[in-house]
Amino acid sequence: MRTNSSTIEVRPITGSIGAEISGVNIAEELSSAAIADIRQALLDHLVIFLRDQDITPAQQLAFVSRFGEPDIYPFVKGLEDYPQITPILKLPEETINFGGVWHSDTVYQPTPPMATILYAKELPPTGGDTLFANQYQAYESLSAPLRKILDGLTAVNSAAKGSAAHTRSSRVADAGTGLAAEVMEAEHPVIRTHPETGRKALFVNTGHTVRFKGMTEAESAPILGFLYQHQIKPEFCCRFAWGPGSLAFWDNRCAQHYPVNDYHGHTRLLHRVTLKGDKPY
Ligand code: SIN
């Protein structure tokens, strides 16, 4: 286990992905050593979880700004005084949950976010967990010939793909920015190299990827369909059960996530911030 220079403790929750962090109160200004240890834990475990945090929107922004520059989500307005914070909301009368499909955040942008930080505000009595999947392992566990083919391919990712576009419909209806999903499309390597760890990760997802560049959707579908199944194998995943004051911080460059929609009739509200990322290579 890595030795930390601050007082934080890092406890992995599976053999593949995810760690719980304790010994830190993010309402306070953290030392540079603590920030460095949290960043290292994120790089090592791809998603980290903090429990029992009591923070305001300003404190959430102050904490996340130690790791990068907060971005604005293109389709739904943020909080009135904090436009970088997007409410992730499902109401008791709704059946569709925002982002309710396996995905990495907003990969239809030319520079998709490096990370996302989600803070629990109101939770259902049970359910509403979030799953995460390790895309380094998804890549590394493929056969060498398939890795070689995928290494040379580019993916076309669209905000208009039905599976993800459908999940944002309620929030776009009541707080949309007016931007049309069709205008956001980006091409990224199917296998990206993480700019900090140097490791390769599979970078397609069922929510946004529509085809390989230079191929039709029909030609792309067999391999993409295989990859969508492969990349979420249980042995690459962890599952986080939210509690009051929980915060999840994940690396979109090497992890995907899936919010479980098993809490109809209850409200679930979280505050989300994404941090600007680089152009994938
Ligand atoms: C998201 O895709 O950002 C939402 C994740 C969640 O609601 O757990």
Side-chain angles (χ1 to χ4, degrees), residues 75 102-112 153-162 164 168 181-192 202-213 217 220 224 228 231 256 279-280:
F75 297 115
W102 276 104
H103 66 284
S104 172
D105 285 325
T106 66
V107 297
Y108 42 78
Q109 295 186 302
T111 54
L153 293 178
T154 298
V156 178
N157 301 282
S158 170
K161 187 172 179 186
R168 68 177 93 92
E182 290 71 22
V183 302
M184 298 208 86
E185 190 172 283
E187 294 175 359
H188 298 305
V190 167
I191 308 301
R192 76 178 292 183
L202 184 56
F203 199 58
V204 294
N205 71 81
T206 192
H208 304 127
T209 307
V210 286
R211 61 185 173 83
F212 297 118
K213 185 179 178 183
E217 287 187 28
S220 309
L224 283 177
Y228 297 153
Q231 66 190 167
Q256 291 197 27
K279 182 153 183 54

Side-chain angles (χ1 to χ4, degrees), residues 63-249:
F63 170 67
V64 305
S65 297
R66 303 285 299 275
F67 300 91
E69 187 184 347
D71 206 353
I72 302 270
Y73 179 64
F75 297 115
V76 178
K77 289 181 193 147
L79 300 184
E80 195 169 332
D81 294 331
Y82 303 95
Q84 306 99 325
I85 297 183
T86 308
I88 303 298
L89 174 67
K90 183 179 167 218
L91 295 167
E93 62 275 19
E94 295 175 343
T95 54
I96 298 168
N97 65 332
F98 183 92
V101 60
W102 276 104
H103 66 284
S104 172
D105 285 325
T106 66
V107 297
Y108 42 78
Q109 295 186 302
T111 54
M114 59 161 276
T116 301
I117 300 93
L118 197 58
Y119 175 62
K121 295 289 291 177
E122 185 174 346
L123 296 168
T126 49
D129 296 355
T130 306
L131 307 182
F132 297 87
N134 180 332
Q135 299 307 294
Y136 293 135
Q137 276 190 326
Y139 172 72
E140 289 159 6
S141 58
L142 293 169
S143 66
L146 183 53
R147 286 203 305 266
K148 197 169 171 195
I149 292 169
L150 296 176
D151 268 323
L153 293 178
T154 298
V156 178
N157 301 282
S158 170
K161 187 172 179 186
S163 45
H166 173 67
T167 74
R168 68 177 93 92
S169 54
S170 300
R171 297 291 73 82
V172 167
D174 58 31
T177 57
L179 189 70
E182 290 71 22
V183 302
M184 298 208 86
E185 190 172 283
E187 294 175 359
H188 298 305
V190 167
I191 308 301
R192 76 178 292 183
T193 303
H194 193 291
E196 293 182 76
T197 65
R199 292 176 71 186
K200 288 183 173 187
L202 184 56
F203 199 58
V204 294
N205 71 81
T206 192
H208 304 127
T209 307
V210 286
R211 61 185 173 83
F212 297 118
K213 185 179 178 183
M215 296 190 205
T216 64
E217 287 187 28
E219 287 171 330
S220 309
I223 294 183
L224 283 177
F226 163 75
L227 293 175
Y228 297 153
Q229 293 301 313
H230 168 79
Q231 66 190 167
I232 57 164
K233 280 185 175 165
E235 54 268 39
F236 306 152
C237 292
C238 71
R239 179 172 183 138
F240 184 61
W242 297 87
S246 292
L247 180 140
F249 187 162

